[in-house]
Amino acid sequence: MSASAVFVLDLKGKVLICRNYKGDVDMAEIDHFLPLLMTQEEEGLTCPIMSHGNVHFLWIKHTNLYLVATTNKNSNASLVYAFLYKVVEVFTEYFTELEEESIQDNFVVVYELLDELMDFGFPQTTDSKILQEYITQEGTKLEVAKTKVPTTVTNAVSWRSEGIKYKKNEVFIDVIESINLLVNANGSVMSSDIVGTVKLKTMLSGMPELRLGLNDRALFALTGRDKGKTVTMEDVKFHQCVRLSRFESDRTISFIPPDGESELMSYRINTHVKPLIWIESVIEKFSHSRVEIMVKAKGQFKKQSVANNVEVRVPVPSDADSPKFKTSTGHAKYVPEKNLAVWTIKSFPGGKEFLMRASFGLPSVENDEMEGKPPITVNFEIPYFTVSGIQVRYMKIIEKSGYQALPWVRYITQSGGRTAMLFRYSLYSKKRPIIYS
Amino acid sequence: MEWANQLCENRQFGSKMTDSKYFTTTKKGEIFELKAELNSDKKEKKKEAVKKVIASMTVGKDVSALFPDVVNCMQTDNLELKKLVYLYLMNYAKSQPDMAIMAVNTFVKDCEDANPLIRALAVRTMGCIRVDKITEYLCEPLRKCLKDEDPYVRKTAAVCVAKLHDINAQLVEDQGFLDTLKDLISDSNPMVVANAVAALSEIAESHPNSNLLDLNPQSINKLLTALNECTEWGQIFILDCLANYTPRDDRESQSICERVTPRLSHANSAVVLSAVKVLMKFMEMLPKDLDYYSTLLKKLAPPLVTLLSAEPELQYVALRNINLIVQKRPEILKHEMKVFFVKYNDPIYVKLEKLDIMIRLASQANIAQVLAELKEYATEVDVDFVRKAVRAIGRCAIKVEQSAERCVSTLLDLIQTKVNYVVQEAIVVIKDIFRKYPNKYESVIATLCENLDSLDEPEARAAMIWIVGEYAERIDNADELLESFLEGFHDESTQVQLQLLTAIVKLFLKKPTETQELVQQVLSLATQDSDNPDLRDRGYIYWRLLSTDPVAAKEVVLAEKPLISEETDLIEPTLLEELICHIGTLASVYHKPPSAFVEGSRGVMHKRLPARTGSGESTESPDVGAAGGSAPEAAPSIIPSQGDLLGDLLNLDMAPPTTSGPPPPSTGMQMGGMDLLGGGLDSLLGGDIGGSPAMGAGFGAAPAVMPASLNAPVGGGLGDLFDLGGVGMPMGAYIPPKIVWLPAMKAKGLEISGTFARRAGVIQMELILTNKAMSVMTDFAIQFNRNSFGLAPAGPLQVLTPLGPNQTIEVSLPLSTVGPVMKMDPLNNLQVAVKNNIDVFYFSCQYPISMLFVEDGKMERQVFLATWKDIPNDNESQFQIKDCHLNSDAASSKLQGSNIFTIAKRTVEGQDMLYMSIKLSNGIWVLAELRVQAGNPNYTISLKCRAPEVSQCVFQCYEAVLKN
């Protein structure tokens, strides 16, 4: 059904630790993994699934480690990858950093975790908060208190333990919207979407029942209310704790939250997004001489709002040298290892427009290699604002002890990380220089 | 967070506090030292020693010599130490089976420990010790653990049953563990249910005939309830298990879908994909005019799109599956083109898959955007990606006719970049565009010729040569161009050589006066100086053709070629169906059936989508045809494999735009029509025809006689040819030859001939539709009247392309036997209505009842005897089959091919008595006794059946099968 064995390898392909779950694949098969990968890398065509004879390797890479699952059956590939990423998550929560050293330093716990995470190829308990209740860093002494399996492990509520206590009961709700955007060189928006997440930091006692209300258009349509702005969510994904059938039937988001930090839900919105920061660029390449870059950034959001940590990343040829910058605000620097000119603006008020000019020298002997034309990327964050207009209308908290709890909501819109605002540009090749005034 | 702080502190103190210290002892006599430490009285020292042993094990040192000493540490109240010892046991028990028995007692004891963690740990580890000898000792502890009061122990024990079954299946069955496992499906704890389902599925997968998971509406209901409560992984086990169930009717199917759809909102991508699998499979049973059907289609798109924001590996799995889904149900994602735009930083494997899907979704509505994107991609750096992007532009041109011009000009722009591989790729696709739109874009040839020198890849060279040969009359210096290639003839790859040969022959036929020398040169190079048999054969054919009858040669070589189809890389429909049943798994990623890459799965039943079981209404709602593109049943109208065969001589043998997956099943072996051979060519070839099948096929393709029916494989006569050649068709079910059911004059020019076949358990109506009218026919649909065995179309009639005048198309229509029933006379009569844009036509035909003989029609001997006695003698009918010259064994195996099973054979006084059983699709059994006397060509057959009216039909089948 899924993995026969799971291996953690270093970058040289040496097995750091492994666990044979089913015994139907020879453990020595792993020796073929790295040579296969090397061959693929040489051809420039890596693939997350590789096979050698009857054995299939499903792998992911994390820092300086490969996590590899082997199988010789028609396994559920999506389950295997989801599981491997879960392993990374659990190990990271245990060891803060998951890397070669942390595996070696903690091999006893790693073995224990591998034993608990999966049995005979079937993933079992993978919630690290719950695992931490019975797999601890220190050798467990069998005291009376520890002779019980946390009921959470097998409970229907497998993500929250009973008996949690806080003096002050609070929930912090972060609504974070990330923008994906692709603009063509001619200024037309090719594609755009918003990926939103709702993150919780729950500090509530007992087993509270929570209900989250958003200005979800589908919900309002269902209940016949029509007050103010609503938002259409194209697709919604929920944490295990949310009752999916309930949501399916009446769009109610009801759940018993995990303790501490968690990602409650994510959603995707398809509506056309106005590029919050608009980039125009003129990039001219004078062969054998230099590259001239002019970038204009314009804040297309409300004047009252401010974008923080704006970063405009402009690709430059890999053989560029002697950078010169001039900016109307912020500062620019050359990051040669990434072939980028990065222009940083700490605080960018809405409606404003800024300019950056850069010039780079080019060697007289030209680089033969074809270079791609990566787009210009813009990263930023705008607090107290969601681009979609989504709002938390209420968060109801009910616990049988009847305490009063306070929900706190924060909004932020950003781009960067997994999402990106990308601007393609035309590259003008010039034979003789043109002087800009 | 305390543990984390501690960890940080540990790090600050250096490696002293961490486990890594255990890896550092590499002194001599290490094993000896460890032995001493393991036997120490001090608990702490013992534990440290075991850790050292495990550390050595981890780095691959052999520490098996310490087995008895480590096992001695097993009895401890320290959980961590116990776990380490268990770990050691799992690793070394196999190499020390005798000593592993020492551990049994502790296991048994631990299974009764007061602490459920220890009970579970023991039962979990026990199953991992794959030593046959000790398994039987583990039965009692396992039995107790399966009934343990703690769900944690029960869920672990459930998995242990699967482990034990893997080691000793018989033992598990004898001990009744399977029944206990089945009981656990009703356990009160969802986690236990999930693991029981997982264990049962696992066992069922390796023992496909065990009928373990006999799913029924009650058990399905239990699973659906547990689905809401168990962990994300448990949900996947349950969904994957549900996917194996076949609902009884569309109502049940809908209610399951309704309860599965909420899973589409789960954050775990694997849960989503497994839910998609269940929905894609079950919606097959829903009537398309049902509101719920379209609701479901709408619900599937958003989660599929969201999968593209998952981690890259999961995206890859999702994209490979979306590729299947788009082929099966193009309507789901047809508006979602943009999300498949490639991101600059996508990994290459994601980029290539997205590109594939972009081409599939390209349509007139979005082509402008798609082209703009593709052009952008063609300027990137990644060679493979760029090539594919260029190829994609060509595919768009072929797929969306309105965009062809724009595509060609985009390709020309790209050729101007002079980037070598871009130019070559562009030329390859332009050749395909010429094939699709002949005499339309020849103006670009001049530009192409400018780049002749830069072509160094065989495929591009061959493409260019083909273009030159094909348009030789318009290229002034065609002879010079081709001659320049001829210089290095022997260094070229076969592909180029073949192409060059054909191109020069074409040139000669077009401009005979100036090119005689050239053609002689190439023919001699091909026939005398080459040791490649294909090249020689082709050379000889041309040579003889040209020397015997230049007019015929012209007709053959310069014949009009069939147009290429846009969807040459569609996955063959039955494979697609099977892959849909495997969504999320490796099979769906490889686009191969599991039997192709999993050892020992060859005998396993291929999964199929369930057949529609609605009451048969509205199978042909008019817009189904219009939905187009969805080609679940019918083979693409222009069949690539056939093209290849034909092309061998027509020089179309350059690969059609990447074909993935095997070619469509050779229904009737598309050999292009052997009977076109005609006597003349036959004699010309003399004895060669038997010698080279490729040549034979090539000749068969001589299409000049009947160019319009090129894509209509001619069924008859073909079989004979095969028999002559001794190729021998595999023994299969008897399929009557196609006969004309509906003559053209009765149906305003539509002629329908056909037959029935049973292939891999599916009844197929195989039709040949010929348009003998002057206008184009579209919007085909089919319906059956009620009939004796409830035959009904299992899907719409898939005629995807309009049928032009003088065109013929072959369609096979899968049938189900769940339609409405009405007794007909004769019993096997079927009344059919076929509709097209012109009118509705009716005809009736008779199907051989053997189509209804099911695969599991082999009766147990005892049952046979009892049934034979049980059926009153009045129901027995006797027939004579005359002039049959098979011996009894041959007859028996021939009959078996049509699902007539011989149960026993008795020989009495030189007379063979064969006892046979047949089961009809409606559950009726027919028992038969066939008497065969050596030397006597007349057989006697007695049939016994509770429904004696079928006997006549069955007898006819016997006769047909035995005599064909």
Side-chain angles (χ1 to χ4, degrees):
Chain A
M1 178 170 256
S2 93
S4 173
V6 170
F7 298 83
V8 180
L9 310 184
D10 67 8
L11 291 182
K12 295 192 196 86
K14 195 183 87 185
V15 178
L16 295 176
I17 207 160
C18 60
R19 174 66 201 259
N20 188 354
Y21 287 109
K22 292 185 68 178
D24 55 355
V25 175
D26 185 357
M27 294 297 273
E29 288 284 345
I30 195 67
D31 296 341
H32 298 294
F33 172 76
L34 203 73
L36 275 173
L37 184 63
M38 303 281 270
T39 323
Q40 287 199 345
E41 275 176 356
E42 272 166 34
E43 290 165 4
L45 277 175
T46 51
C47 182
I49 300 184
M50 304 189 295
S51 59
H52 181 268
N54 285 322
V55 183
H56 310 276
F57 301 101
L58 292 83
W59 63 280
I60 63 172
K61 194 178 169 193
H62 181 84
T63 60
N64 53 358
L65 300 172
Y66 294 112
L67 280 86
V68 189
T70 55
T71 177
N72 58 3
K73 298 269 159 41
N74 181 30
S75 302
N76 186 330
S78 49
L79 176 140
V80 174
Y81 289 121
F83 175 73
L84 291 179
Y85 275 103
K86 204 71 179 185
V87 170
V88 170
E89 193 184 311
V90 170
F91 284 3
T92 309
E93 285 196 38
Y94 262 85
F95 315 130
T96 326
E97 291 283 331
L98 172 58
E99 45 164 29
E100 192 175 334
E101 203 180 331
S102 52
I103 294 281
Q104 272 168 353
D105 289 354
N106 298 287
F107 77 97
V108 173
V109 182
V110 172
Y111 274 129
E112 280 191 52
L113 285 173
L114 287 173
D115 199 36
E116 205 64 42
L117 287 166
M118 185 176 253
D119 194 6
F120 202 54
F122 309 128
Q124 300 291 308
T125 306
T126 55
D127 190 313
S128 67
K129 289 202 193 73
I130 305 306
L131 285 167
Q132 279 163 25
E133 288 183 29
Y134 66 111
I135 297 182
T136 49
Q137 295 283 88
E138 290 305 296
T140 321
K141 285 268 161 32
L142 288 185
E143 297 152 19
V144 191
K146 293 255 169 133
T147 56
K148 269 198 177 164
V149 193
T151 49
T152 332
V153 176
T154 50
N155 252 351
V157 181
S158 61
W159 54 88
R160 185 185 178 94
S161 296
E162 282 172 42
I164 295 170
K165 276 207 177 66
Y166 285 96
K167 272 189 195 142
K168 193 174 172 191
N169 290 296
E170 291 175 307
V171 194
F172 297 91
I173 308 164
D174 279 352
V175 180
I176 303 158
E177 291 197 336
S178 302
I179 299 175
N180 266 314
L181 185 88
L182 176 63
V183 181
N184 252 4
N186 61 8
S188 59
V189 177
M190 293 300 284
S191 64
S192 68
D193 63 25
I194 303 167
V195 180
T197 50
V198 177
K199 291 188 174 160
L200 294 185
K201 188 174 176 193
T202 315
M203 300 163 81
L204 297 172
S205 313
M207 285 300 230
E209 272 286 343
L210 270 57
R211 236 166 71 205
L212 176 68
L214 299 171
N215 55 341
D216 167 16
R217 175 161 301 157
L219 171 67
F220 280 39
L222 219 65
T223 52
R225 275 185 305 171
D226 187 19
K227 279 183 262 169
K229 197 177 180 245
T230 56
V231 172
T232 308
M233 294 186 281
E234 186 68 17
D235 189 33
V236 195
K237 291 279 174 282
F238 289 109
H239 184 275
Q240 170 77 16
C241 68
V242 177
R243 297 181 183 95
L244 297 181
S245 359
R246 178 101 195 258
F247 180 75
E248 177 81 9
S249 62
D250 61 8
R251 300 285 284 193
T252 306
I253 303 168
S254 77
F255 55 98
I256 297 171
D259 189 41
E261 290 177 22
S262 61
E263 185 177 312
L264 179 70
M265 65 182 278
S266 65
Y267 54 87
R268 195 162 48 75
I269 295 174
N270 248 355
T271 48
H272 195 87
V273 191
K274 191 164 78 172
L276 296 173
I277 293 183
W278 182 258
I279 297 290
E280 280 170 36
S281 65
V282 179
I283 302 180
E284 290 173 304
K285 190 174 168 185
F286 304 93
S287 293
H288 316 296
S289 144
R290 62 182 200 280
V291 178
E292 299 273 354
I293 298 169
M294 196 274 293
V295 175
K296 188 166 82 180
K298 194 174 164 189
Q300 306 193 109
F301 47 91
K302 281 185 294 192
K303 288 207 171 63
Q304 303 92 307
S305 289
V306 174
N308 295 330
N309 304 320
V310 178
E311 214 179 56
V312 183
R313 298 159 154 254
V314 188
V316 294
S318 58
D319 50 0
D321 55 43
S322 45
K324 285 190 201 94
F325 296 104
K326 222 173 118 184
T327 57
S328 63
T329 188
H331 76 279
K333 65 170 193 253
Y334 177 41
V335 187
E337 64 273 20
K338 288 179 178 163
N339 300 323
L340 284 176
V342 180
W343 176 23
T344 322
I345 304 159
K346 276 268 165 280
S347 158
F348 193 137
K352 285 278 193 300
E353 203 176 287
F354 299 113
L355 216 64
M356 189 249 319
R357 286 172 195 277
S359 87
F360 290 85
L362 285 178
S364 51
V365 183
E366 204 163 336
N367 192 349
D368 276 345
E369 273 174 50
M370 265 279 283
E371 281 191 26
K373 228 178 63 187
I376 298 174
T377 344
V378 185
N379 297 337
F380 61 86
E381 47 184 64
I382 306 174
Y384 316 113
F385 166 74
T386 56
V387 65
S388 70
I390 202 153
Q391 274 176 1
V392 174
R393 298 183 61 90
Y394 60 82
M395 171 71 102
K396 288 192 179 138
I397 302 160
I398 301 161
E399 217 279 334
K400 56 176 184 283
S401 65
Y403 57 71
Q404 288 296 312
L406 288 172
W408 305 95
V409 190
R410 261 195 321 194
Y411 299 98
I412 191 164
T413 293
Q414 62 174 35
S415 188
R418 293 280 287 276
T419 58
M421 297 217 333
L422 304 173
F423 294 84
R424 289 175 177 156
Y425 52 87
S426 322
L427 189 63
Y428 302 98
S429 292
K430 289 285 163 76
K431 292 277 180 282
R432 75 195 152 80
I434 294 172
I435 294 144
Y436 279 89
S437 52
Chain B
M1 282 297 149
E2 201 181 343
W3 58 272
N5 293 338
Q6 268 176 9
L7 182 78
C8 294
E9 270 169 30
N10 288 351
R11 282 184 172 282
Q12 280 157 11
F13 288 129
S15 64
K16 210 178 144 203
M17 296 296 288
T18 69
D19 295 348
S20 59
K21 65 174 185 273
Y22 300 110
F23 292 100
T24 52
T25 47
T26 45
K27 286 170 286 178
K28 263 189 198 167
E30 186 190 337
I31 297 279
F32 185 76
E33 242 172 62
L34 281 172
K35 209 178 179 76
E37 285 175 37
L38 284 169
N39 291 311
S40 155
D41 296 333
K42 289 186 187 123
K43 278 183 180 175
E44 215 32 54
K45 200 158 191 180
K46 249 186 182 172
K47 192 169 134 188
E48 292 299 291
V50 175
K51 279 192 181 179
K52 279 183 205 165
V53 172
I54 299 291
S56 303
M57 186 182 93
T58 305
V59 295
K61 283 185 205 154
D62 183 10
V63 281
S64 59
L66 295 167
F67 200 92
D69 310 282
V70 177
V71 171
N72 269 339
C73 304
M74 200 169 160
Q75 292 202 34
T76 169
D77 54 359
N78 182 305
L79 194 54
E80 189 187 4
L81 179 56
K82 198 180 260 305
K83 282 183 179 173
L84 290 172
V85 176
Y86 276 10
L87 189 69
Y88 179 91
L89 268 172
M90 278 189 270
N91 250 329
Y92 289 111
K94 193 115 197 180
S95 58
Q96 312 257 347
D98 292 325
M99 284 204 267
I101 296 192
M102 293 164 50
V104 166
N105 266 337
T106 319
F107 275 127
V108 175
K109 223 176 107 204
D110 282 353
C111 282
E112 292 179 7
D113 197 280
N115 181 348
L117 274 175
I118 292 195
R119 295 202 296 275
L121 182 66
V123 76
R124 184 163 64 215
T125 312
M126 232 164 61
C128 295
I129 297 178
R130 302 172 63 86
V131 176
D132 211 4
K133 264 189 205 166
I134 70 167
T135 44
E136 56 189 288
Y137 296 100
L138 305 178
C139 291
E140 280 324 299
L142 176 59
R143 196 185 315 283
K144 275 183 202 150
C145 287
L146 280 165
K147 304 245 153 90
D148 200 284
E149 54 172 21
D150 193 303
Y152 183 74
V153 180
R154 288 204 301 281
K155 72 135 187 160
T156 313
V159 176
C160 187
V161 175
K163 293 178 185 170
L164 217 54
H165 192 271
D166 199 33
I167 304 165
N168 190 341
Q170 196 57 46
L171 180 74
V172 169
E173 276 160 43
D174 294 347
Q175 295 282 329
F177 286 143
L178 294 181
D179 295 320
T180 322
L181 201 51
K182 283 186 205 165
D183 293 344
L184 287 182
I185 289 188
S186 315
D187 198 279
S188 57
N189 184 291
M191 190 98 171
V192 178
V193 177
N195 273 6
V197 168
L200 281 169
S201 306
E202 178 84 20
I203 296 171
E205 201 174 310
S206 50
H207 296 74
N209 303 319
S210 55
N211 199 23
L212 258 182
L213 277 166
D214 80 89
L215 298 171
N216 51 54
Q218 289 74 39
S219 57
I220 290 292
N221 195 37
K222 278 178 202 151
L223 293 184
L224 287 166
T225 310
L227 192 57
N228 289 326
E229 293 177 339
C230 61
T231 66
E232 48 202 309
W233 312 111
Q235 296 184 18
I236 299 171
F237 307 153
I238 292 178
L239 289 167
D240 283 356
C241 174
L242 276 177
N244 290 321
Y245 175 64
T246 307
R248 289 161 310 169
D249 51 31
D250 48 347
R251 211 171 307 154
E252 190 187 7
S253 188
Q254 175 175 348
S255 89
I256 296 175
C257 287
E258 279 166 354
R259 293 175 72 179
V260 167
T261 34
R263 297 301 119 198
L264 294 174
S265 299
H266 201 287
N268 186 323
S269 307
V271 175
V272 175
L273 263 182
S274 287
V276 169
K277 167 163 57 192
V278 175
L279 297 173
M280 279 296 288
K281 198 177 166 189
F282 287 10
M283 74 190 298
E284 194 70 13
M285 295 182 69
L286 301 176
K288 289 191 174 175
D289 50 359
L290 197 70
D291 285 344
Y292 183 70
Y293 178 83
S294 37
T295 314
L296 199 51
L297 280 182
K298 278 194 208 104
K299 278 195 175 157
L300 277 168
L304 286 173
V305 172
T306 305
L307 287 174
L308 301 185
S309 10
E311 289 82 2
E313 292 82 3
L314 281 161
Q315 271 187 57
Y316 176 69
V317 176
L319 285 164
R320 292 293 283 171
N321 280 286
I322 287 172
N323 200 325
L324 299 172
I325 292 168
V326 165
Q327 289 183 59
K328 180 76 191 158
R329 300 197 180 282
E331 60 273 35
I332 295 179
L333 288 166
K334 66 178 171 194
H335 298 304
E336 302 288 352
M337 169 61 84
K338 283 185 178 180
V339 299
F340 297 102
F341 285 175
V342 171
K343 293 194 182 125
Y344 188 78
N345 52 354
D346 278 335
I348 179 71
Y349 51 84
V350 168
K351 283 184 175 176
L352 295 176
E353 291 307 317
K354 282 186 174 173
L355 207 50
D356 245 359
I357 294 167
M358 280 174 69
I359 301 167
R360 291 203 193 286
L361 293 178
S363 67
Q364 203 187 336
N366 56 28
I367 195 73
Q369 278 178 323
V370 173
L371 273 182
E373 276 296 297
L374 290 176
K375 199 175 171 186
E376 195 74 35
Y377 303 160
T379 62
E380 283 198 19
V381 266
D382 198 314
V383 178
D384 289 287
F385 179 58
V386 171
R387 282 175 181 278
K388 198 160 181 173
V390 177
R391 231 163 242 252
I393 297 174
R395 294 266 299 279
C396 287
I398 290 166
K399 192 171 176 194
V400 186
E401 188 162 355
Q402 296 82 350
S403 76
E405 191 152 353
R406 208 184 319 196
C407 294
V408 171
S409 78
T410 308
L411 287 169
L412 284 178
D413 287 352
L414 290 173
I415 288 177
Q416 299 306 341
T417 64
K418 301 281 176 196
V419 178
N420 188 278
Y421 53 85
V422 173
V423 173
Q424 310 212 36
E425 210 64 45
I427 286 182
V428 171
V429 298
I430 286 181
K431 176 219 53 182
D432 287 335
I433 296 176
F434 283 175
R435 285 280 319 277
K436 170 80 180 181
Y437 310 107
N439 307 317
K440 220 169 160 187
Y441 298 110
E442 283 69 29
S443 54
V444 309
I445 291 177
T447 320
L448 302 185
C449 289
E450 285 165 21
N451 293 284
L452 219 60
D453 296 335
S454 63
L455 308 181
D456 53 11
E457 290 163 18
E459 206 184 347
R461 287 173 82 84
M464 193 64 222
I465 293 169
W466 181 87
I467 292 172
V468 174
E470 186 68 15
Y471 297 100
E473 67 275 27
R474 304 186 200 184
I475 305 171
D476 288 340
N477 61 342
D479 49 343
E480 280 169 38
L481 293 176
L482 291 176
E483 197 171 0
S484 70
F485 281 104
L486 210 53
E487 281 160 21
F489 189 78
H490 289 298
D491 300 329
E492 300 283 3
S493 71
T494 312
Q495 190 183 12
V496 179
Q497 289 176 334
L498 286 168
Q499 213 45 254
L500 197 51
L501 170 61
T502 308
I504 293 179
V505 171
K506 279 186 192 167
L507 174 70
F508 171 70
L509 290 166
K510 289 175 179 178
K511 299 179 178 174
T513 46
E514 313 125 63
T515 54
Q516 200 145 12
E517 202 175 310
L518 195 60
V519 82
Q520 263 160 9
Q521 204 183 337
V522 78
L523 286 175
S524 104
L525 279 170
T527 55
Q528 285 162 26
D529 302 339
S530 167
D531 42 10
N532 182 321
D534 285 344
L535 188 62
R536 272 207 319 262
D537 283 352
R538 192 186 282 189
Y540 278 123
I541 293 172
Y542 283 139
W543 200 320
R544 288 181 196 175
L545 254 177
L546 292 172
S547 54
T548 322
D549 185 354
V551 179
K554 211 164 183 169
E555 281 178 341
V556 171
V557 179
L558 302 181
E560 208 174 298
K561 283 161 281 294
L563 298 183
I564 54 171
S565 118
E566 64 268 28
E567 302 287 13
T568 38
D569 60 344
L570 281 180
I571 292 176
E572 185 265 312
T574 40
L575 176 61
L576 182 60
E577 285 203 359
E578 186 177 357
L579 294 180
I580 291 285
C581 300
H582 288 293
I583 283 178
T585 69
L586 286 181
S588 73
V589 176
Y590 289 137
H591 290 184
K592 284 182 192 158
S595 57
F597 62 90
V598 179
E599 220 169 48
S601 65
R602 297 199 185 278
V604 178
M605 270 252 287
H606 289 263
K607 291 192 182 178
R608 292 295 303 267
L609 291 177
R612 281 265 321 277
T613 55
S615 31
E617 79 283 4
S618 74
T619 36
E620 23 61 291
S621 74
D623 46 5
V624 173
S630 75
E633 310 294 350
S637 56
I638 296 172
I639 296 147
S641 67
Q642 180 201 0
D644 283 351
L645 285 170
L646 287 173
D648 212 26
L649 217 124
L650 284 179
N651 63 67
L652 311 179
D653 48 0
M654 289 165 290
T658 51
T659 306
S660 67
S666 36
T667 25
M669 287 296 283
Q670 281 83 0
M671 289 295 288
M674 281 302 189
D675 52 351
L676 294 180
L677 257 177
L681 290 178
D682 212 346
S683 55
L684 183 89
L685 271 171
D688 271 354
I689 192 156
S692 159
M695 199 159 74
F699 253 105
V705 191
M706 215 173 110
S709 65
L710 260 180
N711 53 359
V714 178
L718 179 62
D720 310 354
L721 203 117
F722 261 120
D723 282 348
L724 275 178
V727 180
M729 298 288 262
M731 192 75 90
Y734 164 66
I735 301 163
K738 291 200 174 81
I739 53 168
V740 175
W741 284 336
L742 181 67
M745 49 189 295
K746 281 195 178 171
K748 301 188 178 165
L750 174 66
E751 185 188 82
I752 299 180
S753 54
T755 186
F756 292 89
R758 187 181 182 90
R759 297 184 199 278
V762 180
I763 307 169
Q764 309 262 17
M765 186 182 205
E766 301 190 339
L767 299 160
I768 295 180
L769 309 178
T770 308
N771 181 352
K772 297 199 167 170
M774 298 303 289
S775 57
V776 175
M777 295 180 177
T778 55
D779 304 329
F780 285 95
I782 195 164
Q783 228 174 12
F784 292 174
N785 197 356
R786 287 193 279 177
N787 54 70
S788 317
F789 292 95
L791 281 175
L797 185 64
Q798 297 283 353
V799 182
L800 299 176
T801 47
L803 194 59
N806 254 346
Q807 267 190 339
T808 291
I809 189 171
E810 224 189 23
V811 189
S812 58
L813 176 73
L815 307 182
S816 70
T817 52
V818 290
V821 176
M822 181 173 79
K823 196 174 164 188
M824 301 294 290
D825 188 30
L827 208 59
N828 56 344
N829 197 28
L830 182 65
Q831 295 176 336
V832 183
V834 168
K835 179 186 93 86
N836 63 12
N837 57 333
I838 298 167
D839 206 339
V840 182
F841 311 105
Y842 302 91
F843 62 89
S844 64
C845 53
Q846 292 181 7
Y847 50 90
I849 202 168
S850 58
M851 298 304 110
L852 304 169
F853 297 172
V854 296
E855 276 65 27
D856 63 345
K858 190 159 186 169
M859 210 177 230
E860 290 286 359
R861 278 177 186 226
Q862 299 302 324
V863 183
F864 182 93
L865 265 173
T867 316
W868 185 272
K869 281 184 195 152
D870 207 12
I871 298 176
N873 284 337
D874 291 350
N875 283 11
E876 185 173 342
S877 25
Q878 231 178 48
F879 302 92
Q880 290 274 321
I881 299 174
K882 290 190 175 138
D883 276 321
C884 196
H885 297 279
L886 299 165
N887 66 26
S888 59
D889 286 344
S892 159
S893 70
K894 212 163 179 182
L895 290 166
Q896 175 135 9
S898 291
N899 293 340
I900 302 173
F901 298 94
T902 304
I903 290 162
K905 177 179 157 185
R906 230 164 19 124
T907 310
V908 183
E909 299 168 353
Q911 181 169 254
D912 288 337
M913 324 263 271
L914 300 174
Y915 294 94
M916 307 179 175
S917 71
I918 298 165
K919 190 180 169 190
L920 294 176
S921 54
N922 59 358
I924 292 181
W925 286 90
V926 181
L927 310 186
E929 183 199 50
L930 184 70
R931 268 173 283 173
V932 180
Q933 191 141 29
N936 183 352
N938 296 344
Y939 297 176
T940 311
I941 182 161
S942 305
L943 296 172
K944 253 187 159 181
C945 179
R946 287 187 208 277
E949 50 271 68
V950 301
S951 297
Q952 181 65 32
C953 291
V954 172
F955 160 66
Q956 284 163 5
C957 283
Y958 263 92
E959 199 161 40
V961 171
L962 289 172
K963 288 192 177 174
N964 279 287

